[in-house]
């Protein structure tokens, strides 16, 4: 879901329609909050235009993110369209809600990002404690490191570490290597791991 998409798709109304169709088929839903008006990925995390005036005021930005997440889920819940999983951010290797054109800058400002992640997590928990919360990193080679970064910066109240794994592009990790990484994350941080994006070359 995008906050206020300029191309007219992937906003709230589309999301409600898609969840309705999916649930009619008896399937489960992951709702992926991009916290942007367009695609968010490891290199681009452009703050929604509605929040851009407060993009550098961490507490107000976190409050905006909390209220948006909570109100979206409350609206879905009122219509019997609650997702089973909620993803707080999309491929947020370096964080989310960046100013300007959204280019992700390093090193990660964990003072800001801890507030944002925990605001999104709290919003989900406040609406429905049964929802499983996913935090999402791109490329298996980053997964163990990123789980450690989250843990070290007090972002711990989530259920599943989501990973994008495109073997054509993420060539440094074999499927067997990924199995080892998953085992390490489960054993070290007691988090489940889910491949939330993938694409194969055949």
């Amino acid at each position: 879901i995008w906050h206020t998409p300029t191309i007219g798709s992937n906003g709230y109304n589309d999301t409600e329609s898609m969840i309705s169709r999916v649930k009619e088929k008896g399937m489960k839903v992951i709702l992926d909050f991009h916290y942007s008006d367009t695609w968010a990925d490891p290199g681009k995390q452009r703050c929604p235009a509605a929040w851009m005036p407060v993009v550098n005021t961490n507490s107000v930005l976190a409050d905006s993110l909390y209220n948006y997440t909570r109100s979206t889920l409350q609206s879905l819940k009122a219509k019997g369209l609650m997702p089973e999983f909620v993803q707080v951010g999309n491929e947020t290797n370096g964080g989310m809600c960046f100013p300007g054109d959204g280019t992700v800058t390093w090193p990660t400002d964990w003072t800001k990002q801890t507030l944002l992640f925990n605001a999104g997590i709290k919003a989900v928990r406040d609406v429905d404690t049964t929802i499983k919360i996913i935090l999402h990193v791109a490329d298996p080679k980053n997964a163990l490191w990123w789980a450690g970064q989250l843990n070290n910066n007090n972002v711990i109240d989530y259920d599943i570490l989501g990973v994008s794994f495109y073997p054509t592009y993420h060539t440094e990790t074999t499927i067997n290597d990924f199995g080892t990484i998953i085992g390490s994350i489960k054993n070290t941080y007691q988090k489940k791991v889910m491949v939330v994006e993938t694409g194969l070359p055949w």
Side-chain angles (χ1 to χ4, degrees):
I1 186 171
W2 298 347
H3 187 284
T4 309
T6 56
I7 62 171
S9 61
N10 293 342
Y12 177 81
N13 290 336
D14 281 345
T15 297
E16 187 178 288
S17 175
M18 284 188 277
I19 292 176
S20 180
R21 289 168 55 201
V22 168
K23 286 190 174 287
E24 285 173 4
K25 299 295 184 184
M27 299 171 71
K28 293 182 180 180
V29 173
I30 296 175
L31 180 58
D32 175 4
F33 282 91
H34 280 234
Y35 299 119
S36 182
D37 295 329
T38 187
W39 298 106
D41 61 41
K44 290 278 188 180
Q45 294 278 339
R46 191 173 193 274
C47 186
W51 304 347
M52 203 61 84
V54 298
V55 69
N56 293 316
T57 309
N58 294 349
S59 61
V60 181
L61 181 61
D63 190 57
S64 300
L65 189 149
Y66 171 86
N67 288 328
Y68 164 66
T69 306
R70 185 169 179 262
S71 64
T72 299
L73 293 175
Q74 285 176 324
S75 296
L76 293 171
K77 188 172 187 176
K79 297 183 178 182
L81 297 175
M82 283 297 282
E84 285 75 16
F85 305 86
V86 168
Q87 194 170 296
V88 176
N90 189 78
E91 295 190 328
T92 50
N93 298 35
M96 52 192 172
C97 291
F98 283 76
D101 68 357
T103 298
V104 174
T105 56
W106 299 87
T108 301
D109 178 357
W110 278 107
T111 299
K112 176 178 183 176
Q113 295 304 326
T114 295
L115 279 175
L116 297 183
F117 281 117
N118 285 334
I121 289 167
K122 185 176 188 304
V124 179
R125 299 289 191 219
D126 285 351
V127 176
D128 190 331
T129 58
T130 68
I131 293 174
K132 300 300 183 186
I133 295 174
I134 301 171
L135 299 183
H136 181 195
V137 64
D139 197 335
K141 74 177 183 181
N142 298 317
L144 188 57
W145 160 79
W146 200 63
Q149 290 289 296
L150 294 173
N151 188 73
N152 293 343
N153 289 284
N154 199 36
V155 181
I156 55 177
D157 185 24
Y158 67 98
D159 303 292
I160 299 166
L161 192 81
V163 184
S164 295
F165 184 24
Y166 295 95
T168 304
Y169 306 107
H170 301 152
T171 56
E172 294 181 39
T173 307
T174 67
I175 290 177
N176 286 339
D177 292 337
F178 193 18
T180 302
I181 292 166
I182 290 170
S184 295
I185 291 169
K186 292 175 73 173
N187 292 331
T188 305
Y189 302 107
Q190 291 74 55
K191 302 296 182 184
K192 294 183 178 179
V193 179
M194 180 186 291
V195 176
V196 293
E197 286 188 34
T198 191
L200 300 173
W202 58 80

